[in-house]
Amino acid sequence: MADETTVKELKRKAQQLRYNVLEMIGVGVAGHWGGSSSLAEAMAVLYFHAMKLDPANPRHPDRDRLLLSKGHAALIQYAALCEVGYVPREELKRVKELNGLLQGHPDLSIPGIEAVTGSLGQGLSIGVGMALAFRLDRKANHVYVIMGDGEQSEGQLWEAAMAAANFKVDNLTAFLDWNKIQATGRTEDIFNIPDLDQKWRAFGWEVIVTDGHDIGKIIGAIDQAKTVKGKPTLVILDTVKGKGVSFAENVATYHNGIFDAAKFDAAKQELAAQLENI
């Protein structure tokens, strides 16, 4: 369990990540606000509390690995990489520009990115391979993979899930961002997959369901996952799409939406007020 000071610091960090994402999207350009903002607390906990990493060396061999399988939410990872110190802050203003470092999906040219993702369903396969390699090399590195709930309709994902359980890959923790909305509407209306927790348990995984916006509970879930031996763990994060900007919450339009000048300013003010109140 984390102390109150740590939790407060991580809450502030999560809010800063949201602010960074909004700055990256800007005015009049489509950007993945919805599925990035729903992951702010999880990213804050992983990068600034749970994972082993070296701010001076993004390629340190003893680092843990984080794969964002839902690669369209790359902005939230870029926001974290900036706060860690891997990405210069000025690059946040050049996202998706030809001369910029940060593109629409994660790329290996970016310090701190471990795999190219964006074609949904593939991140877990990569993570299983990495975790097995660490085990063969007798290394203590841990692998984290973040998936979307819309992504659960991808077949390769379930092949990877079976493989991870079969090979008892307990140095792997996966997260499912259960924000319940994908690009064009509610996930249950587009490709309904009920009882996700039971399905993953049936595939041989330890499953923890928690509030994806509660820093303390996320820390507790990760700590619990580290105690599980002989099988991988999935943490289902119960989240809100577009979290932090009231007019964008639970609105599919903001999966990859555009802020006009008035809405951009309103969103900035709302996020700044929330940060000040932490």
Side-chain angles (χ1 to χ4, degrees):
M1 292 293 293
D3 58 67
E4 290 184 10
T5 300
T6 298
V7 169
K8 185 175 182 178
E9 289 175 353
L10 291 172
K11 284 181 179 179
R12 292 186 61 83
K13 187 65 73 173
Q15 202 64 12
Q16 181 63 52
L17 297 186
R18 285 196 178 91
Y19 196 88
N20 288 355
V21 170
L22 187 67
E23 289 280 285
M24 280 185 266
I25 295 173
V27 176
V29 180
H32 285 93
W33 168 256
S36 294
S37 59
S38 59
L39 280 173
E41 283 79 13
M43 282 291 191
V45 171
L46 284 166
Y47 273 104
F48 304 101
H49 180 76
M51 291 201 304
K52 292 181 297 182
L53 53 81
D54 181 355
N57 180 11
R59 305 301 296 175
H60 195 289
D62 293 334
R63 72 190 184 281
D64 290 335
R65 307 299 200 266
L66 174 59
L67 307 177
L68 186 63
S69 189
K70 48 173 284 185
H72 55 276
L75 297 183
I76 193 65
Q77 189 170 21
Y78 298 161
L81 294 176
C82 174
E83 295 299 319
V84 169
Y86 291 166
V87 171
R89 190 163 296 276
E90 56 266 25
E91 288 292 340
L92 300 186
K93 296 288 188 180
R94 303 197 300 165
V95 174
K96 293 193 285 188
E97 293 183 4
L98 289 178
N99 63 341
L101 174 66
L102 306 175
Q103 296 305 313
H105 286 94
D107 185 85
L108 288 172
S109 63
I110 302 168
I113 296 297
E114 304 292 354
V116 176
T117 60
S119 183
L120 293 176
Q122 298 184 11
L124 188 61
S125 296
I126 301 169
V128 171
M130 286 181 173
L132 286 170
F134 289 137
R135 189 167 74 187
L136 286 170
D137 290 341
R138 302 183 185 278
K139 292 185 175 180
N141 310 61
H142 201 88
V143 179
Y144 298 94
V145 178
I146 299 176
M147 305 172 289
D149 51 2
E151 186 178 7
Q152 302 300 293
S153 62
E154 300 287 346
Q156 182 174 326
L157 182 152
W158 293 101
E159 293 180 48
M162 285 188 288
N166 180 72
F167 294 115
K168 299 179 174 58
V169 186
D170 54 12
N171 57 339
L172 168 70
T173 301
F175 297 85
L176 198 166
D177 182 16
W178 187 39
N179 62 38
K180 308 161 200 71
I181 294 176
Q182 55 192 95
T184 57
R186 293 193 64 82
T187 303
E188 65 180 4
D189 297 330
I190 295 168
F191 198 111
N192 189 29
I193 308 177
D195 304 319
L196 278 168
D197 56 339
Q198 295 181 42
K199 281 184 170 59
W200 280 88
R201 289 189 182 100
F203 272 68
W205 286 57
E206 183 76 14
V207 177
I208 303 166
V209 183
T210 195
D211 184 340
H213 300 304
D214 187 310
I215 294 290
K217 290 181 179 178
I218 297 170
I219 292 172
I222 293 173
D223 289 345
Q224 182 180 340
K226 290 177 180 178
T227 69
V228 176
K229 303 301 178 185
K231 59 181 174 179
T233 298
L234 173 73
V235 178
I236 298 180
L237 300 166
D238 189 354
T239 60
V240 174
K241 190 93 165 186
K243 178 71 173 177
V245 174
S246 55
F247 62 79
E249 290 184 355
N250 292 315
V251 178
T253 304
Y254 287 97
H255 173 89
N256 187 26
I258 296 174
F259 292 91
D260 61 24
K263 288 184 176 178
F264 180 78
D265 288 341
K268 282 185 69 174
Q269 291 176 21
E270 190 169 358
L271 292 176
Q274 292 169 9
L275 181 58
E276 187 175 346
N277 288 331
I278 295 174

